[in-house]
Amino acid sequence: MRILTSLSSSAAILLVAFGSHQLVQACQHHHGHGGDGDGHDNKQWTITPEELAELKELERKWGTDWSFSGITTFAHLKHVKCLTTPSEKFDIAIVGAPFDTATSYRPGARFGPRAIRQASSRQTSFRGFNPRASINPYASWATIIDCGDIPITPFDNAVALEQMSEAFVELGSRSAALGETEKGKGKGKRKPKLITLGGDHSLALPALRALRKVYGREVRVVHFDAHLDTWHPAKYPSAWPSTQSHFNHGSMFWLAGQEGLLSNSSPASNIHAGLRTRLSGTDPSDFVDDASQNWLRISADDIDDLGGPAGVIAAIMDQFDLNDPDPDPVYLSIDIDVLDPAFAPGTGTPEPGGWTTRELIRILRGLVDVLNVVGADVVEVSPAYQGRGEETALAAAQVVYEVLTGMVKRGLKNGFSEEKVKGGGVDKAHDEL
């Protein structure tokens, strides 16, 4: 307690309120750059240089966790309850949606966000460099935080849908931590991007509702899944129909199309990848319905016929105009059951014959830093059905890492740089642990 008791009373209060790491950051930012009229930057911290040096020493000694220590957040990122902390700015947020009462087979995905965070423990900012992309997403221009979970009711799906819709709008409508780049001048304030940890796949509907509201235009979806998820609710026959039952993890993209959330222009189709589902009835009419909703299908078997992951990437990229100065916003929706059950058994509706984890990762790497990805989800992780080695959650955590990497790398291509970050008073050289 020697260092703590030597601080002035005001410095000690600040230390308790912020923690040594955040307080050192705030003080350095204030002394080095001055305030910009936003949030805490306007305050005059009553802390001496000597006290600041002592706080730095605390941070040096105790500010870094091992992969197996610390409170569990995704990749040891800073945790903030963002829904109740509107002053907290971020460029990319990890958000949990622990919801699974819209499943048709095995429940348990409400524990998916917790399992994915646990499986991300070996991801750290000091060892986060992705050699395949030549970037460390946790130590670049973007402020990335873990916003915790949306507190979703397990008792009423109509209320749950409303809660998720409002939460995604609330978070997605805020201004991003870093302002416009030179390339983005005149296009309005940047919006942050959300990566949602599911939860069952129905959460894609409220996420798309929010994106439609935030961006004011239809969104294109690249959907990795064993299943179509464009089924009309009547394809789930019941003698007891209800409007609430329409909202489920196999009909959410049908609902999104009905609500005008998705692109319905034939040159700008939405895309399924990894399909191998059984269909309804005695004919392929499900495929006909799917095509009428403006979806292109790439089956799991197509990876062989197209020449591997590179062929799948090419088939997807062929659907986009890469020279468009105003590219379509894209939502990546990744159901972990796109992987074969040998690699991801911990899921609600497993289907044999899927892709390997390596194949999915290779495909994602070819897409995320090229397409205008405005949001993503990784869903249907049900840890109760995985093995003791956490193979399903590990795969999901790696997928999130690859999506993060692509988002940050695309930001560099669009004008963000380490120099811009430092010049703007945002210190990203620190360890996020």
Side-chain angles (χ1 to χ4, degrees):
M1 295 295 291
R2 182 189 63 80
I3 295 178
L4 180 60
T5 55
S6 71
L7 298 178
S8 67
S9 58
S10 59
I13 291 171
L14 288 169
L15 176 60
V16 171
F18 287 91
S20 63
H21 178 74
Q22 286 79 12
L23 182 54
V24 169
Q25 292 286 314
C27 292
Q28 288 178 328
H29 175 56
H30 171 74
H31 290 305
H33 303 285
D36 61 4
D38 186 21
H40 296 296
D41 293 343
N42 256 354
K43 295 185 181 296
Q44 298 295 317
W45 303 115
T46 55
I47 183 169
T48 68
E50 292 77 14
E51 290 169 338
L52 181 58
E54 292 178 0
L55 290 174
K56 285 183 176 181
E57 178 65 7
L58 282 175
E59 179 65 23
R60 186 188 71 81
K61 285 184 174 181
W62 312 114
T64 301
D65 273 313
W66 292 99
S67 57
F68 50 81
S69 66
I71 302 300
T72 301
T73 65
F74 188 87
H76 299 266
L77 293 168
K78 174 184 174 183
H79 170 248
V80 179
K81 294 187 71 172
C82 298
L83 286 169
T84 57
T85 315
S87 60
E88 186 72 30
K89 291 193 175 183
F90 51 87
D91 296 297
I92 304 172
I94 305 296
V95 183
F99 173 75
D100 65 1
T101 53
T103 56
S104 59
Y105 190 45
R106 301 194 305 200
R110 69 181 65 182
F111 299 107
R114 181 181 299 175
I116 297 169
R117 288 186 174 104
Q118 173 66 29
S120 74
S121 294
R122 291 188 62 247
Q123 296 184 35
T124 62
S125 62
F126 68 82
R127 190 163 289 170
F129 183 77
N130 190 332
R132 305 172 188 94
S134 295
I135 189 174
N136 182 341
Y138 302 122
S140 187
W141 63 268
T143 297
I144 308 172
I145 64 175
D146 189 328
C147 281
D149 292 344
I150 304 168
I152 306 165
T153 179
F155 302 120
D156 187 321
N157 282 6
V159 173
L161 176 57
E162 182 179 4
Q163 289 175 318
M164 288 187 282
S165 298
E166 288 196 21
F168 288 135
V169 170
E170 170 66 30
L171 296 176
S173 298
R174 296 177 183 174
S175 296
L178 215 54
E180 298 174 276
T181 65
E182 292 299 323
K183 293 183 179 180
K185 289 286 179 69
K187 295 184 179 180
K189 290 291 185 181
R190 290 181 58 254
K191 298 300 180 184
K193 299 181 180 183
L194 308 180
I195 300 178
T196 306
L197 312 180
D200 75 48
H201 212 156
S202 63
L203 66 84
L205 176 62
L208 289 167
R209 284 178 173 178
L211 289 172
R212 181 69 171 85
K213 189 168 185 177
V214 169
Y215 288 92
R217 58 192 290 190
E218 298 165 341
V219 177
R220 296 181 67 182
V221 175
V222 179
H223 172 221
F224 293 89
D225 202 320
H227 310 92
L228 292 169
D229 293 350
T230 56
W231 280 291
H232 188 289
K235 291 296 180 78
Y236 291 94
S238 173
W240 306 89
S242 72
T243 301
Q244 183 169 300
S245 69
H246 290 183
F247 173 58
N248 62 72
H249 74 160
S251 296
M252 71 283 177
F253 288 134
W254 180 87
L255 291 170
Q258 295 295 304
E259 294 182 15
L261 309 179
L262 305 181
S263 168
N264 61 4
S265 170
S266 56
S269 62
N270 305 290
I271 302 160
H272 302 294
L275 295 174
R276 55 193 187 279
T277 184
R278 288 171 291 279
L279 304 180
S280 309
T282 59
D283 59 37
S285 60
D286 286 350
F287 284 163
V288 176
D289 293 342
D290 183 71
S292 71
Q293 298 173 55
N294 197 36
W295 287 84
L296 172 75
R297 295 181 301 280
I298 299 172
S299 73
D301 292 347
D302 286 340
I303 198 169
D304 300 318
D305 300 331
L306 293 171
V312 174
I313 294 168
I316 294 173
M317 297 305 297
D318 281 348
Q319 305 303 310
F320 292 89
D321 180 0
L322 302 183
N323 297 314
D324 188 343
D326 186 22
D328 295 330
V330 175
Y331 184 74
L332 283 182
S333 193
I334 305 164
D335 189 325
I336 205 66
D337 74 19
V338 71
L339 301 179
D340 189 89
F343 303 95
T347 191
T349 48
E351 301 283 359
W355 290 341
T356 68
T357 309
R358 178 180 55 79
E359 288 168 337
L360 175 61
I361 289 170
R362 287 290 300 274
I363 293 166
L364 289 172
R365 287 180 194 140
L367 302 176
V368 185
D369 66 343
V370 180
L371 299 177
N372 180 27
V373 177
V374 294
D377 64 48
V378 181
V379 299
E380 298 286 355
V381 173
S382 296
Y385 308 108
Q386 69 178 357
R388 293 181 179 179
E390 303 177 278
E391 65 289 315
T392 309
L394 284 168
Q398 183 69 24
V399 165
V400 174
Y401 171 68
E402 298 294 344
V403 173
L404 273 173
T405 297
M407 286 180 171
V408 174
K409 188 171 182 179
R410 192 173 193 276
L412 292 175
K413 292 179 179 179
N414 286 349
F416 290 120
S417 67
E418 301 302 328
E419 288 71 27
K420 282 184 178 291
V421 174
K422 293 172 185 174
V426 182
D427 180 6
K428 293 302 295 180
H430 67 273
D431 189 354
E432 290 279 359
L433 296 184

